[in-house]
Each structure stands twice: as structure tokens, then as C-alpha cells.
Amino acid sequence: MKLLFSLIQVASFFLFVAYAYCNSPMFRMRRLEAASRRDLAVMYLFFSVISIGGTYLGLPVHGALANTRAIGPVLAGLVGGPYLGLAVGLTGGLHRYFYGGFTALACGVSTTVEGALGGVVHLYLARRYGAERPLSPLTALVTMMVAEALQMIIILLVARPFPDALQLVEAIAFPMIAANSLGAAIFMSILRDRRDLYDQVGAASTARALRIAGRTLGPLAKGFTPDVAPELAKIILEETGVGAVAITDTQTVLAFVGIGSDHHKPGMTLAPECHRAILHRDVQFMDGAHEPYHCGYSDQCPLGSVLVIPLQVDGEVIGTIKLFEPASKRFLSINRTLGEGLAQLLATQLLRARYEEQKNLLVLAELKLAHAQINPHFLFNSLTTIQAIMRRDANRARELLNHLSTFFRMNLKRSPEFSTLEEELTHVNAYLEIEKARFQERLTVAIDVDPTLLQVKLPTFTLQPLLENAIKHGIADKLEPGSARIHAFWEDGAARIDVEDDAGTYFERKERGKDGLGLGIVEKRIRNLLKGGSGLTVTCDPHVRTCVSIRIPAEEARAS
């Protein structure tokens, strides 16, 4: 029993080493599938030290050593798999062989076998029960018992003289099996619990980052402005729990919330640490201990540490995010990591907002280009038609002038983004009255719309370009009369709007590059402004029918 208690004391020392390791920056016991080469190298060194240290701290017994050497290779195999277990076992075994004694060869072989055994158990349990089973303290306990039993057998088979080997095994078998198995179970419990804690902290940080991303998405869509900055600072303060948060541009403080807000005010000039962060495009951290933080605004400021992260968008520093802690509180490393990740997240969202803004401006510019191309041409044709009608029917000419006025007035006054289907139809009717007067009996247009769809919103300037394409590039080229149709109806839970013509010349026009500028712009605007699977398709039966279909899913149609 004395030997057992002595071995437990040695094992306790290594448990202390395990606890210290788990609380050091070197600890990265990640899941095996996520472990990098660096992680495996660190684990190899750590478990090899445990194995070799177990030999050095062994207790002399009958010309040999009672020791805790096996804990290193067995746990290395359970944690890191067969390769790591074998590598640590071989390292510890070679060291034990060269250490000497009549059991040198037997213990060298047994240490290597024990590491391989841990790796084999890891493979079996991971494949059958999942990656967590090899990391169970119970698994470590049973595996170590089997490993130490194997060591005793190998000593009996290899060590000579046999009577001395038998006497040694009788003396050390129970103490080593009991002490090492118990030590391995507690050791594994420390390692696993610490890793789980890191995983929980990581999951909490990820969840916090996702909450921040969700909460800041709306404000950042408006851009990085003095109006948005206070809302961003408040969100970051609430989610990180730091003492205070400041948002700056490259010249002044845009917002400050939290401790010290009585003297840290928006509009103040930037502190030196902000200038350094912007100039060097690097994080500035003053922890208040190794590098002091001095508030430049008040000698009585309670803030004692600050993290300054430059906010870069598309390679350009547009400002900084500052996280503060009071002098009475240590700046947590997790908040530092979160703050640095937060700057990247906000930069990505700002870049996306900038992209969306530029994309919308581009589509709007294309829309205005279409107006500029269509309106003069349409105005010229309309005035020519009205002039011809005026000679024989002044009242009809007056009506057409009213329709023309309505058409252009709606062009000027309509929202650049959305109109209801009802407003689109009013615009189309004003256009049609003039086109019917121009083509007379050669043009027939039918409008068939489900009344429940009249309030569905569409991108402004959707129907008229499609109908103009049908008339200008289809029906106008026919020698015989032509017809067009606007049909709006529900289909499979979605709103569908068809604009048809009976010319069927879409493919021919497309080959000649005359499928119409308006069609491309309408398709872009539907794709950009209406989400959830909204889209535009064209079907054509040559010389029989062309149909341009707009489809808006029910949830999008009803939401609008």
C-alpha cells in the first residue's frame, strides 16, 4: 500500500502539470479532425514530457522502477489517434530503454505497445460510437488498466532473469495498475473539461457575433454615418459587455456610450492611439498594466484599458472601433479576439451595403437611360399621330394629348423603386391609347387581371417596356393585324403576369441584337428588388406567340 500511495503522489504531480497546461496559451486540444499540425506537435511534446517525466520520477523496486510513464502514451493515443499514440509511446519507450536496468527492453517495448493500444482504442470507439467516446474518463480508466496489465505480461515474457521479473510484477502490478488507471481517468477528465469549456466559450462567441451581425445589418445598410454610429456603439456595448464603446471616423469621434460618457463626447478629435491604428492599419491595445492607457480628455477618467481596431472597407481605413474597460477590471482576451473579429464583420457588411448601393444606382441609371431612349422616340411618334388625327377629329386629338400628358406625368412622378400593378396598368393604358390611335385596327390589346392582384408591387417601369417590346419589335413588323395580351393571375401559390404577342419573333430579334433594352432592365430590377425566387422568363413559339412571364411567390406578393 505504501507503494500505491507513493505512485498516487507522483500521479498527482502530473495532474497538476495537466491543469497548468490546460490553463496555458499552449493548450489547443481541438477535436482530432480540426487539429492542425501545430496542435499535434504540441500534444506530442506535452505527452512525451509526461511519459519521460514518469520515468525520472519512478520509484526503485527490486532493481527496476514503479512509475507513471504509461499515462503519456495511452492518453496521447486516446486523444490524438494511433499515430500520435505510437509516436509518444516510441519516444517514451526509447528513453526508458536507454535509462537502463534489467527491465529496460521490456519496458521500452511495453511503453510503445501502450501508446499503440490507446490509438487502436481511439479508432474503434470513434468509428463505432463517435469522436467523444475515446475522450471519456471511463475509457481512459479501462484502457489504462488493460495497458498496464499488458506491461506486466511483457515484463514476464521479456525481462530476465525470470524469477526477478516475477518478483517485480508481484510487487508493482496492483499499485501501478490502480494508480495509473485512476490518474489517467482524472487526467482525461481535466483535458476534456477544459476543451469543452473552450468549445462553449467559442460557441458563445460565435453566437454573440451572429447576434451582432443580425442587429447591425439594418443600420449598416444606411452606410457608415454619424447618424448610424450611436446605434452601432450601443449594440456592441450590449453584446460585448465591455465598459465603453466608441466609434470614430478618420477625423473625429462619431459616438461614445458607456463609462466615461460624461467627458468622452461625439465630435472630439481622435486620440493618439486612434491615429496610430489608422496610420499603421493595425490593432492598438493598451492593457493598462504593461502598456498604460491615459485618457486625453480627463485626468479623472475611470477607464484603464483600450482596444482600438481599424475599420477597413475595400482596402481603405474609414474609421475605428474602440473597446474600453475600467481600471478596476482586466481586459479579457476573449473580448479582444471578439473585437478584432467584429471589425472584420462590420467591414464586410459595409462593403456589402456599398455594393448593394452601387448595384441599385447602376440599375437606376440603366432605367433612366431607357427612359431617355424610349421617351423621345415615343414622343415623336405620338405627336406625329396626334397631328394627323387633329385634322379630322379635334376631340380625339385632345383625348390623346391628355393620355400623352398622363403618360409623361407618371414617368416623372412615380417612385424609382416600386409601383402597384394597378399603377402599372394605368401607365400602360395611357401608352396604349396613343399606340391604338397610331396602329388603329392593326392593333388589339386585351387586359385580363385578377382583381386580388391589383395591389401587388412591382419594380416601377415593368409592364410598359414589355408591352412596348411586343408592339414595337413584334406586332409592328407584321403585315396583318396583331394582338397583345396582359394576363395577371394566381398560379401554384404565386402571382404570375404574362405579356404576350402573336408575332413570335423573339428569337429572331435576339439573334439580330434587337430583343430590347427594356427587357434586360426589367429582368435585373425584378431579380434585385424582389427576392424569394421572383423572376422573369421568356417563351417563344416562332411566328406564333411570344410570352414574357413575371413570377412572384405568394409570400413576396402578399408582403408587398
Side-chain angles (χ1 to χ4, degrees):
M1 293 300 292
K2 182 178 179 181
L3 180 59
L4 174 61
F5 287 125
S6 297
L7 285 173
I8 290 176
Q9 287 178 331
V10 174
S12 299
F13 170 75
F14 288 113
L15 293 180
F16 169 76
V17 172
Y19 179 80
Y21 167 65
C22 290
N23 286 276
S24 73
M26 292 179 62
F27 179 74
R28 288 192 179 187
M29 186 183 153
R30 298 177 180 173
R31 286 172 170 79
L32 186 56
E33 64 274 10
S36 65
R37 290 183 179 179
R38 178 189 179 280
D39 298 331
L40 293 174
V42 170
M43 285 193 289
Y44 165 75
L45 291 173
F46 172 69
F47 287 117
S48 294
V49 168
I50 294 297
S51 180
I52 293 172
T55 297
Y56 279 124
L57 295 179
L59 305 172
V61 178
H62 300 309
L65 294 172
N67 57 78
T68 59
R69 179 179 58 253
I71 291 178
V74 170
L75 292 189
L78 290 175
V79 170
Y83 294 114
L84 184 64
L86 189 59
V88 173
L90 188 59
T91 302
L94 286 172
H95 175 266
R96 176 63 187 90
Y97 174 75
F98 289 110
Y99 194 81
F102 85 98
T103 61
L105 178 60
C107 291
V109 171
S110 66
T111 304
T112 305
V113 170
E114 287 174 315
L117 174 66
V120 170
V121 171
H122 171 97
L123 279 182
Y124 174 77
L125 294 179
R127 289 175 179 175
R128 183 158 186 177
Y129 300 106
E132 289 301 305
R133 182 62 69 88
L135 304 181
S136 164
L138 179 60
T139 300
L141 177 74
V142 174
T143 304
M144 182 58 73
M145 291 177 66
V146 173
E148 287 294 80
L150 279 175
Q151 179 173 224
M152 301 305 145
I153 293 172
I154 292 172
I155 290 174
L156 292 174
L157 292 175
V158 177
R160 291 294 178 269
F162 179 77
D164 291 349
L166 180 60
Q167 183 184 17
L168 175 66
V169 169
E170 289 175 346
I172 69 173
F174 173 73
M176 283 185 62
I177 291 174
N180 285 347
S181 299
L182 181 62
I186 299 174
F187 203 123
M188 181 65 84
S189 179
I190 293 172
L191 293 176
R192 192 183 68 168
D193 290 348
R194 197 64 183 176
R195 189 213 60 184
D196 290 346
L197 177 61
Y198 272 79
D199 285 349
Q200 291 169 10
V201 170
S205 296
T206 301
R208 194 186 308 177
L210 289 174
R211 285 198 306 270
I212 294 173
R215 294 183 64 184
T216 57
L217 187 60
L220 286 175
K222 305 171 188 175
F224 189 68
T225 66
D227 294 333
V228 170
E231 189 174 356
L232 289 180
K234 183 179 178 183
I235 292 171
I236 295 172
L237 180 71
E238 291 174 352
E239 294 294 346
T240 59
V242 295
V245 175
I247 305 286
T248 81
D249 58 18
T250 57
Q251 301 295 328
T252 61
V253 177
L254 299 179
F256 186 97
V257 292
I259 299 170
S261 57
D262 57 327
H263 57 276
H264 289 267
K265 299 291 185 181
M268 287 181 167
T269 57
L270 298 185
E273 61 269 14
C274 288
H275 287 297
R276 291 196 298 270
I278 293 170
L279 179 63
H280 300 295
R281 301 187 175 204
D282 195 14
V283 174
Q284 301 292 312
F285 181 51
M286 280 147 281
D287 61 2
H290 300 90
E291 187 171 355
Y293 164 70
H294 299 294
C295 175
Y297 308 117
S298 172
D299 293 335
Q300 305 301 318
C301 181
L303 299 175
S305 57
V306 63
L307 176 70
V308 186
I309 314 113
L311 191 57
Q312 300 185 59
V313 179
D314 204 17
E316 174 191 1
V317 178
I318 64 170
T320 68
I321 299 172
K322 302 177 70 175
L323 306 183
F324 298 87
E325 287 288 16
S328 59
K329 184 178 179 182
R330 185 167 63 92
F331 205 111
L332 298 177
S333 59
I334 187 173
N335 278 338
R336 177 174 179 175
T337 303
L338 179 63
E340 293 171 356
L342 187 59
Q344 295 178 356
L345 183 149
L346 296 181
T348 301
Q349 291 189 338
L350 283 169
L351 184 61
R352 179 182 175 183
R354 182 179 292 183
Y355 166 74
E356 289 292 335
E357 180 184 11
Q358 290 174 348
K359 185 171 68 173
N360 291 335
L361 287 174
L362 177 61
V363 174
L364 191 58
E366 289 176 334
L367 179 63
K368 290 182 178 179
L369 174 62
H371 272 291
Q373 289 185 347
I374 293 170
N375 287 345
H377 182 74
F378 176 68
L379 177 61
F380 174 78
N381 289 335
S382 300
L383 292 176
T384 301
T385 300
I386 293 171
Q387 185 180 29
I389 292 175
M390 191 179 297
R391 295 170 184 166
R392 62 177 185 271
D393 190 344
N395 289 332
R396 177 60 177 158
R398 207 165 19 249
E399 290 175 2
L400 292 177
L401 282 173
N402 286 333
H403 288 304
L404 184 62
S405 173
T406 299
F407 177 82
F408 280 103
R409 189 185 308 112
M410 292 191 70
N411 276 6
L412 293 172
K413 291 186 176 181
R414 296 169 78 192
S415 163
E417 290 190 348
F418 291 106
S419 298
T420 64
L421 177 57
E422 186 174 21
E423 291 169 337
E424 286 288 300
L425 290 172
T426 302
H427 190 232
V428 162
N429 281 325
Y431 168 78
L432 276 178
E433 286 296 329
I434 299 169
E435 291 294 81
K436 286 178 182 177
R438 179 181 164 207
F439 288 95
Q440 298 181 7
E441 65 274 0
R442 289 182 55 219
L443 174 64
T444 303
V445 179
I447 298 178
D448 180 11
V449 175
D450 185 332
T452 61
L453 290 173
L454 289 176
Q455 296 308 309
V456 168
K457 286 188 178 179
L458 300 170
T460 298
F461 203 60
T462 292
L463 289 188
Q464 190 271 333
L466 298 183
L467 185 60
E468 179 164 6
N469 269 350
I471 296 173
K472 180 179 176 182
H473 300 295
I475 296 172
D477 294 335
K478 294 180 64 174
L479 296 176
E480 68 276 10
S483 63
R485 182 188 185 207
I486 298 175
H487 184 201
F489 55 100
W490 292 103
E491 180 186 66
D492 297 331
R496 176 172 165 178
I497 304 169
D498 291 348
V499 179
E500 306 175 25
D501 67 69
D502 62 357
T505 59
Y506 174 76
F507 292 134
E508 296 176 10
R509 301 197 313 263
K510 193 169 184 180
E511 288 177 2
R512 298 196 305 265
K514 295 183 177 180
D515 56 325
L517 174 66
L519 182 62
I521 294 174
V522 168
E523 183 177 13
K524 279 185 182 179
R525 285 170 60 76
I526 289 173
R527 189 171 60 246
N528 291 336
L529 297 178
L530 295 177
K531 309 299 181 183
S534 302
L536 181 148
T537 57
V538 181
T539 57
C540 180
D541 187 0
H543 305 293
V544 176
R545 173 179 175 269
T546 296
C547 180
V548 180
S549 298
I550 300 169
R551 185 180 184 277
I552 308 172
E555 59 273 14
E556 187 73 18
R558 291 194 174 101
S560 58

